[in-house]
Amino acid sequence: MPPPPHKFCGQCGAPLKRRVPSGEDREREVCPVCNFVHYRNPIPVVGCVAEHEGRILLCRRAIDPRLGYWTVPAGFMELNETLGEAALRETREEACAEVRLGELFSIVDLPRGGQVHFFFRGELLDGKCAAGPESLEVGLFAPGEIPFEEIAFQSGIIALRRYLDAESKGLSLDAVPLRPPN
Ligand SMILES: [Zn+2]
């Protein structure tokens, strides 16, 4: 689910009203005092399928949601960073690992959740990884050892399967087009 709408104006503190702003086609939270329109938009989530000597880096989550489940390093994009920088940062934060970033190869739209998930390929620079504050443990998994039934999020499962499918066929992962076909 997307985060709930704001109740109070971020500019002046007045309670917000839901109405269609002039010139627009849908209801939004609008301040009746200062007229500020509180737009809500999808949030980008960025992850990295990072490999070292044929094994894939996974982190076991120390935080909700899905505490205790495994995930590829991933998280919300920050202001003032690019998609690639977000992938590098999340991999550093969650797995204490430095990677050389490869292709952006998987995009998963979650329209009802208000998110879009982007996944890059990466290679560990030196093979080193360790649990960051948001991880209980990290590990490098051979393709046949990946605990798919314990992966936290569907978008991560999709990215891992796309990655392994390309690897098993000896295909290079193509970067996704900017507008993926439906
Ligand atoms: Zn206001």
Side-chain angles (χ1 to χ4, degrees):
M1 291 295 287
H6 291 294
K7 288 195 171 76
F8 298 97
C9 179
Q11 301 294 308
C12 76
L16 297 175
K17 289 215 158 50
R18 201 165 166 76
R19 65 174 175 82
V20 181
S22 65
E24 300 205 26
D25 65 349
R26 65 194 72 195
E27 287 193 332
R28 304 186 189 278
E29 274 64 49
V30 182
C31 179
V33 175
C34 75
N35 292 315
F36 191 82
V37 182
H38 294 66
Y39 290 97
R40 300 168 73 221
N41 301 97
I43 300 173
V45 170
V46 190
C48 183
V49 177
E51 174 264 344
H52 179 68
E53 294 177 349
R55 292 173 178 265
I56 292 173
L57 174 64
L58 296 178
C59 312
R60 204 152 73 82
R61 291 173 61 81
I63 52 171
D64 279 320
R66 309 293 272 169
L67 191 155
Y69 283 75
W70 290 92
T71 180
V72 299
F76 292 115
M77 193 177 184
E78 297 282 1
L79 295 175
N80 296 314
E81 72 182 358
T82 64
L83 284 173
E85 286 165 355
L88 291 172
R89 177 181 52 74
E90 290 293 343
T91 309
R92 197 176 292 131
E93 286 176 1
E94 296 184 5
C96 305
E98 299 294 331
V99 296
R100 188 171 67 79
L101 217 54
E103 296 83 358
L104 169 63
F105 73 96
S106 187
I107 297 179
V108 181
D109 281 302
L110 299 169
R112 279 176 293 177
Q115 298 177 1
V116 188
H117 292 200
F118 300 84
F119 292 88
F120 286 83
R121 191 176 71 78
E123 284 173 35
L124 268 64
L125 290 185
D126 53 13
K128 288 183 187 152
C129 55
E134 295 179 6
S135 304
L136 296 170
E137 59 178 317
V138 298
L140 288 163
F141 292 77
E145 297 171 343
I146 291 172
F148 275 104
E149 67 288 354
E150 294 174 44
I151 299 291
F153 304 108
Q154 193 65 29
S155 63
I157 294 175
I158 291 168
L160 285 165
R161 291 218 184 275
R162 277 183 186 158
Y163 182 91
L164 294 175
D165 190 49
E167 288 278 300
S168 71
K169 292 172 181 163
L171 301 172
S172 59
L173 281 162
D174 291 329
V176 292
L178 283 178
R179 191 184 180 92
N182 287 320

